[in-house]
């Protein structure tokens, strides 16, 4: 049996990936975006945290969170977000993927995968690598030919602040560096 070990660093900055069940393309639908925005806002009111970066793709999302000083409990936030998103998604008429009877008996639903992936950001260089990975992800998956053309990304905020140019991510130039460093 796999033993899941997570790093909990009070006040830490953490990169996350959350995937839909069966890679169902629901997150960029108008209902998916509306529900996620509402649930995320309610979660941040209940348990504050900052979101330095995020990208929303049809079947998964990547995000970086910075937790308040003394707080390391991102697992409670994700559990609540996933539960509330699933409830609202199903109440809005959204469909769920077929899941096994054993999963159903464990009160699982076929909307979001049970687990999420996390990586504690180690330093500024690691933060920049993950920031680039997030913003290049729509290009990597073929949803856009340039990062600037993907509407559901914090790339546009960083572009306005001068951190990126509109041409960034329009070639394979940055992908090689991003892919090799994030997987370390």
């Amino acid at each position: 049996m796999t033993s899941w070990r997570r790093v909990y660093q009070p006040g830490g900055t953490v990169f996350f990936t959350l995937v839909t069940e069966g890679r169902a393309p629901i997150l960029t639908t108008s209902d998916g975006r509306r529900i996620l925005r509402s649930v995320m806002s309610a979660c941040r009111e209940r348990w504050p945290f900052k979101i330095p970066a995020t990208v929303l793709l049809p079947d998964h999302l990547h995000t970086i969170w910075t937790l308040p000083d003394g707080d390391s409990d991102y697992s409670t936030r994700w559990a609540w977000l996933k539960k509330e998103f699933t409830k609202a998604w199903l109440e809005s008429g959204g469909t769920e993927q077929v899941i096994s009877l054993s999963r159903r008996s464990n009160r699982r639903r076929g909307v979001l995968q049970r687990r999420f992936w996390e990586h504690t950001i180690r330093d500024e260089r690691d933060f920049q690598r993950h920031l680039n990975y997030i913003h290049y992800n729509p290009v990597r998956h073929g949803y856009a030919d340039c990062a600037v053309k993907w509407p559901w990304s914090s790339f546009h905020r960083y572009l306005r602040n001068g951190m990126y140019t509109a041409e960034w991510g329009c070639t394979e130039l940055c992908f090689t560096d991003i892919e090799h460093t994030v997987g370390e």
Side-chain angles (χ1 to χ4, degrees), residues 10-183:
T13 299
V14 186
F15 168 87
F16 299 99
T17 300
L18 178 67
V19 181
T20 62
E21 187 71 44
R23 292 274 184 176
I26 64 173
L27 296 177
T28 55
T29 64
S30 59
D31 279 344
R33 293 189 324 271
R34 177 185 51 78
I35 293 166
L36 187 59
R37 183 174 34 253
S38 173
V39 169
M40 188 69 72
S41 178
C43 182
R44 290 176 74 190
E45 285 179 26
R46 192 171 184 171
W47 300 284
F49 59 96
K50 295 178 183 171
I51 304 175
T54 194
V55 66
L56 187 62
L57 294 114
D59 61 356
H60 68 286
L61 68 85
H62 298 292
T63 188
I64 297 174
W65 291 358
T66 300
L67 300 174
D69 289 341
D71 187 348
S72 62
D73 192 8
Y74 55 77
S75 289
T76 295
R77 289 167 170 88
W78 277 116
W80 189 87
L81 277 162
K82 290 168 57 180
K83 177 186 70 152
E84 294 300 317
F85 179 89
T86 297
K87 282 186 347 190
W89 174 256
L90 295 174
E91 286 171 3
S92 75
T95 60
E96 59 184 310
Q97 302 302 300
V98 175
I99 59 171
S100 68
L101 288 175
S102 68
R103 285 185 179 184
R104 180 86 50 199
S105 69
N106 286 319
R107 298 178 41 212
R108 292 276 320 281
R109 300 304 299 253
V111 179
L112 298 171
Q113 287 185 2
R114 180 176 177 205
R115 302 208 187 272
F116 58 86
W117 191 86
E118 119 289 321
H119 166 81
T120 301
I121 302 295
R122 296 181 299 258
D123 54 30
E124 189 59 39
R125 185 170 180 231
D126 195 30
F127 178 83
Q128 186 62 50
R129 289 176 182 161
H130 283 81
L131 191 69
N132 289 344
Y133 181 84
I134 284 172
H135 294 145
Y136 189 74
N137 215 250
V139 178
R140 176 177 179 233
H141 287 285
Y143 296 120
D145 58 2
C146 290
V148 73
K149 293 182 180 178
W150 189 249
W152 305 297
S153 171
S154 56
F155 177 83
H156 304 282
R157 177 174 13 121
Y158 285 91
L159 178 65
R160 285 190 303 274
N161 292 338
M163 187 166 173
Y164 291 112
T165 65
E167 295 78 27
W168 185 91
C170 295
T171 67
E172 293 181 18
L173 165 71
C174 59
F175 177 67
T176 306
D177 293 336
I178 294 165
E179 187 65 19
H180 286 87
T181 56
V182 171

